Amino acid sequence: MASGILIIDKPQGWTSMDVCAKLRGALHERRVGHAGTLDPMATGVLPVFVGSATRAVSFAESGDKEYIAGLRLGITTNTQDTTGEILERREASVTPEELGAVLRRFTGPILQVPPMYSAVKIGGQKLYQLARKGLEVERPPRPVTIHALELLEQTGPEDFTIRVRCSKGTYVRTLCHDIGAALGCGGAMSSLRRTMAAGFTIAQAVTLEEALAGGEGLLLPVDRFFDSYPAYTLTSDLQEKRCRNGNPVEAAGLQAGLWRVYGRDGTFLCLSRWEDGALRPVKTFFGG
């Protein structure tokens, strides 16, 4: 059965779930999930987990991400990007220096109010479902962290390109909206390309067409996602039996924290946590 990770360069106009559905059919594997939703207008890095590798999705979703975004000043829209209805236009004569000064104010820990056109749930309903009915509800601000925010270039009188490195849960279109508000002229996101997610970069990504043509041959082994953790190879049949049964494995003198654990034949078995002289499984990856 197919198992592993595909780093897809998501095409514009596709939802993240559209990509997964296409790959389910091509790989003949129903277990296909992605880490970190991209809106249809966005392109770029979409890590897709296949087969038993889907057990790693929960780890992948929590990592930092990086984007190249288009910022258009002088407009405010209902979706906070240029696909939405324009609510207001203002003159925007902002210099790169003025924009750079405002970007510095948005770097570090900030609070964001989730946009109405989002999948965030309020009172059991997704915000975008309420927005499509013409409703707007109060949304509590959420803490996010902008690790880096850089002006790359000015591409037109009101258009700029910025690079954003941020924590999980950050809405880049909301960031563009808030930057425009801080400048007093309004702003919206005009384009979005994700260049890094779950530790994978755009240089590692393949197009959807390449993935469909290459099939299982392009799958990365799931342990590649856990490369930052040290590796431990079991040394006895008893150790391996205990590990495969979900029991702790005695291992003296290791550093506390998470470890990649391999069987005697080199098979990646699980991610385990070492404490009190033993490796205790956190998530297993062997089996179907």
Side-chain angles (χ1 to χ4, degrees):
M1 291 183 288
S3 179
I5 307 172
L6 278 169
I7 312 304
I8 301 295
D9 185 348
K10 189 190 84 64
Q12 194 170 50
W14 288 62
T15 70
S16 300
M17 290 309 297
D18 287 340
V19 172
C20 290
K22 194 73 172 178
L23 291 171
R24 281 190 194 100
L27 297 171
H28 308 291
E29 170 58 69
R30 61 179 178 79
R31 294 170 300 168
V32 176
H34 65 82
T37 300
L38 282 174
D39 290 338
M41 79 173 289
T43 66
V45 176
L46 181 70
V48 176
F49 294 75
V50 179
S52 60
T54 54
R55 299 167 190 167
V57 167
S58 59
F59 295 90
E61 289 176 329
S62 60
D64 294 340
K65 299 173 177 64
E66 186 176 88
Y67 300 88
I68 303 297
L71 168 64
R72 179 163 299 163
L73 298 177
I75 61 170
T76 303
T77 76
N78 62 339
T79 59
Q80 301 182 344
D81 61 39
T82 53
T83 68
E85 175 189 348
I86 295 178
L87 302 177
E88 187 177 12
R89 291 184 184 272
R90 292 187 184 182
E91 184 180 351
S93 54
V94 176
T95 67
E97 291 74 24
E98 289 170 333
L99 176 56
V102 168
L103 294 185
R104 287 191 287 274
R105 289 161 46 187
F106 285 89
T107 305
I110 64 170
L111 291 174
Q112 271 196 341
V113 176
M116 279 302 300
Y117 282 88
S118 68
V120 172
K121 286 186 177 181
I122 299 289
Q125 279 194 289
K126 291 181 178 179
L127 288 175
Y128 70 79
Q129 294 172 330
L130 298 173
R132 287 172 182 168
K133 296 176 183 176
L135 302 175
E136 182 164 351
V137 297
E138 187 174 349
R139 291 96 68 198
R142 297 181 168 198
V144 297
T145 301
I146 308 299
H147 300 291
L149 185 55
E150 175 188 7
L151 173 59
L152 296 181
E153 60 178 335
Q154 182 171 6
T155 56
E158 299 170 341
D159 288 287
F160 299 83
T161 303
I162 60 176
R163 181 180 71 89
V164 184
R165 190 180 181 103
C166 55
S167 65
K168 172 189 175 182
T170 302
Y171 286 94
V172 178
R173 53 197 164 99
T174 299
L175 182 64
C176 291
H177 172 89
D178 292 347
I179 289 168
L183 287 163
C185 60
M189 187 181 76
S190 58
S191 65
L192 186 67
R193 182 159 178 77
R194 188 156 68 191
T195 53
M196 189 275 289
F200 297 105
T201 67
I202 196 67
Q204 297 168 281
V206 297
T207 65
L208 184 56
E209 291 76 13
E210 289 170 334
L212 295 174
E216 293 185 38
L218 293 178
L219 286 168
L220 300 174
V222 67
D223 56 330
R224 282 282 300 275
F225 173 65
F226 299 110
D227 272 350
S228 60
Y229 300 119
Y232 180 86
T233 301
L234 303 174
T235 58
S236 70
D237 290 338
L238 177 60
Q239 274 190 326
E240 186 153 344
K241 183 177 180 180
R242 287 186 58 81
C243 180
R244 287 181 177 272
N245 286 331
N247 296 315
V249 173
E250 290 186 8
L254 301 185
Q255 179 181 342
L258 295 174
W259 287 73
R260 289 175 287 137
V261 177
Y262 294 84
R264 299 182 73 189
D265 64 354
T267 301
F268 177 54
L269 297 179
C270 61
L271 189 70
S272 293
R273 184 179 302 279
W274 188 88
E275 56 188 1
D276 299 328
L279 288 162
R280 291 173 168 79
V282 173
K283 186 72 72 173
T284 61
F285 293 93
F286 56 85

